[in-house]
């Protein structure tokens, strides 16, 4: 570790630090550039909840909404324009990072409309539209890892479009995501695309696993249950890294890699600690390994920068212990399969709810802007 700050040390350990937030204010104020310069941020992720919070708080988007209202833009067109503009501008900001890392980092993610999570064809169509509209090589199109999303992931990659697969909770689904990724690359190669230009991450959610399982452990309330609190999220993610190592060491992958393909990196999402009893850098320092991404809310980024203790690789060699955590939970009657299915359902519901709130708020803003427009 040659650099002094914990975020620099984390980068030295092979972890790419991305910020899980984006807004017009971050871009215009220079605060995002400052995080790049000072806290080793090399990418950005967004989601429907982030856009809902950004667009509906403050007045940063009022002028743009008024302009779009005057043009006669519809509600969906307005939101599409606002979100893709922010992402395109962020892609420009990160372009030097993308160039320096040959596109591995410097990435900005934008998610398909969450209401399409159960619509394969609709997801494919919107992924193409988002990619075309943003118009930047360093954009990642986010597609949820629903059963309907898996073939959409393959089809989007087959078009040469880089993808961030999101809302992964289970190891079984993660295996299916990697299968969809490798199938997509094979098709992309057959379609004549340069595989070295296609990038992907698989967003494995962490803290929400602990939130749900801890609630069940509290209900059991035995010493054995209490001893397992706060351990499931990290254990699940560490086992995901084991899957990553396994499936990117196969003969099938070697064939793709020989043609220039790059592995789909694991991305740790939902890394803000929900329980204040836990260390606020738990899902950062406990999940360090070469080749991973950790996308953090700013609060977690600041905590890591301030007092994170980075000790290098904290994943490799932990798999037996991690598997023991999940086995112990099953022994207490906590069903892993049930928990991860519930978390996927709740995650999708949350994003859809945020999107609907965004639609309602922007619709109100469009109406107000049209009412205030001068009569010609």
């Amino acid at each position: 570790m040659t650099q002094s700050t914990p975020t620099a040390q984390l980068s030295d350990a092979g972890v790419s630090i991305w910020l899980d937030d984006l807004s017009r204010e971050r871009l215009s104020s220079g605060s995002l550039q400052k995080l790049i310069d000072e806290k080793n941020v090399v990418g950005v992720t967004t989601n429907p909840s982030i856009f809902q919070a950004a667009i509906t708080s403050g007045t940063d988007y009022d002028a743009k909404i008024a302009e779009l209202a005057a043009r006669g833009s519809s509600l969906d067109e307005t939101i599409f324009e606002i979100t893709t503009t922010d992402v395109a501008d962020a892609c420009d900001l990160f372009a030097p990072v993308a160039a320096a890392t040959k596109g591995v980092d410097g990435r900005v993610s934008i998610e398909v409309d969450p209401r399409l999570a159960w619509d394969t064809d609709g997801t494919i169509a919107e992924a193409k539209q988002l990619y075309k509209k943003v118009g930047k090589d360093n954009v990642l199109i986010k597609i949820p890892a629903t059963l309907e999303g898996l073939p959409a992931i393959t089809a989007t990659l087959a078009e040469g479009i880089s993808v961030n697969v999101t809302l992964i909770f289970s190891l079984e689904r993660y295996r299916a995501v990697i299968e969809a990724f490798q199938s997509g690359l094979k098709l992309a190669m057959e379609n004549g695309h340069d595989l070295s230009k296609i990038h992907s991450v698989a967003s494995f959610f962490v803290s929400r696993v602990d939130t749900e399982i801890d609630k069940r452990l509290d209900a059991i309330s035995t010493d054995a249950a209490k001893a397992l609190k706060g351990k499931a999220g990290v254990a699940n993610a560490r086992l995901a890294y084991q899957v990553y190592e396994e499936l990117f060491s196969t003969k099938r992958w070697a064939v793709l890699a020989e043609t220039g393909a790059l592995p789909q990196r694991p991305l740790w999402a939902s890394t803000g600690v929900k329980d204040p009893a836990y260390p606020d850098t738990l899902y950062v320092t406990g999940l360090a390994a070469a080749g991973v991404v950790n996308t953090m809310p700013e609060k977690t980024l600041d905590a890591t920068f301030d007092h994170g203790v980075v000790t290098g690789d904290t994943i490799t060699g932990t798999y037996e212990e991690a598997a023991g955590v999940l086995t112990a939970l099953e022994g207490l009657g906590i069903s892993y399969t049930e928990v991860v299915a519930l978390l996927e359902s709740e995650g999708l519901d949350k994003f859809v709810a945020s999107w609907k709130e965004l639609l309602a708020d922007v619709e109100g803003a469009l109406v107000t802007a049209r009412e205030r427009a001068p009569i010609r």
Side-chain angles (χ1 to χ4, degrees):
M1 303 289 179
T2 58
Q3 300 182 62
S4 58
T5 69
T7 55
Q9 292 168 2
L10 198 63
S11 297
D12 286 346
V15 178
S16 293
I17 299 171
W18 292 4
L19 179 71
D20 193 28
D21 195 35
L22 182 64
S23 66
R24 176 55 38 188
E25 189 279 332
R26 280 198 182 279
L27 291 162
S28 61
S29 69
S31 71
L32 185 53
Q33 181 64 59
K34 189 174 182 181
L35 294 178
I36 296 170
D37 295 339
E38 298 180 2
K39 296 184 179 178
N40 304 89
V41 170
V42 292
V44 158
T45 50
T46 68
N47 61 46
S49 297
I50 285 171
F51 278 129
Q52 191 269 335
I55 295 171
T56 59
S57 61
T59 59
D60 292 311
Y61 297 89
D62 288 0
K64 186 66 174 179
I65 290 173
E67 175 193 329
L68 292 166
R71 279 194 225 163
S73 295
S74 70
L75 175 59
D76 285 339
E77 287 169 345
T78 299
I79 292 175
F80 191 79
E81 181 69 26
I82 290 171
T83 56
T84 53
T85 297
D86 277 3
V87 168
D89 288 349
C91 283
D92 286 341
L93 186 68
F94 279 97
V97 177
T101 61
K102 296 183 178 179
V104 172
D105 284 313
R107 293 275 161 182
V108 184
S109 296
I110 185 169
E111 190 160 340
V112 297
D113 184 329
R115 297 171 297 177
L116 297 171
W118 304 273
D119 179 350
T120 301
D121 291 340
T123 295
I124 296 168
E126 173 136 324
K128 292 178 183 178
Q129 289 173 345
L130 286 169
Y131 178 73
K132 183 178 180 180
K133 177 64 175 176
V134 173
K136 307 292 180 180
D137 288 340
N138 54 328
V139 70
L140 287 174
I141 307 303
K142 286 181 81 173
I143 298 175
T146 56
L147 291 175
E148 297 83 357
L150 294 173
I153 292 160
T154 296
T156 302
L157 288 162
E159 297 291 328
I161 298 172
S162 296
V163 172
N164 176 343
V165 183
T166 189
L167 281 174
I168 308 171
F169 294 95
S170 82
L171 298 169
E172 178 184 12
R173 186 62 55 82
Y174 181 40
R175 287 180 177 274
V177 165
I178 295 175
E179 163 63 29
F181 166 73
Q182 295 189 4
S183 295
L185 287 193
K186 185 173 184 295
L187 290 172
M189 181 173 60
E190 293 170 0
N191 291 337
H193 292 289
D194 180 351
L195 297 193
S196 70
K197 305 293 186 185
I198 303 174
H199 296 263
S200 186
V201 294
S203 297
F204 206 88
F205 281 53
V206 186
S207 69
R208 296 186 195 182
V209 174
D210 275 337
T211 300
E212 180 59 31
I213 288 180
D214 282 0
K215 182 170 63 176
R216 298 177 184 220
L217 290 169
D218 284 337
I220 296 170
S221 199
T222 62
D223 289 343
K226 291 174 184 176
L228 288 169
K229 285 191 66 177
K231 293 185 176 180
V234 168
N236 196 36
R238 286 173 172 172
L239 291 172
Y241 193 79
Q242 182 184 33
V243 171
Y244 162 74
E245 289 185 315
E246 174 194 339
L247 296 186
F248 286 98
S249 300
T250 62
K251 289 182 179 178
R252 182 192 187 196
W253 174 248
V255 171
L256 291 167
E258 284 171 5
T259 66
L262 301 169
Q264 180 187 57
R265 293 189 293 167
L267 179 150
W268 311 133
S270 182
T271 56
V273 172
K274 307 293 192 294
D275 188 333
Y278 300 151
D280 51 7
T281 62
L282 174 64
Y283 305 123
V284 178
T285 57
L287 291 173
V292 304
V293 180
N294 194 309
T295 187
M296 311 176 197
E298 189 168 20
K299 184 178 179 182
T300 303
L301 174 65
D302 288 345
T304 302
F305 181 82
D306 179 67
H307 54 262
V309 179
V310 180
T311 57
D313 187 337
T314 54
I315 297 180
T316 307
T318 65
Y319 308 139
E320 185 176 349
E321 178 187 353
V325 170
L326 299 191
T327 300
L329 290 168
E330 291 283 352
L332 291 175
I334 296 175
S335 168
Y336 175 84
T337 302
E338 180 188 322
V339 167
V340 293
L342 175 65
L343 290 172
E344 178 183 295
S345 176
E346 288 181 345
L348 291 165
D349 288 347
K350 178 183 178 184
F351 283 168
V352 169
S354 293
W355 200 252
K356 287 180 177 177
E357 287 178 34
L358 176 60
L359 289 168
D361 288 337
V362 173
E363 184 174 35
L366 282 170
V367 169
T368 299
R370 285 172 182 142
E371 289 172 347
R372 292 176 177 172
I375 298 173
R376 297 182 180 179

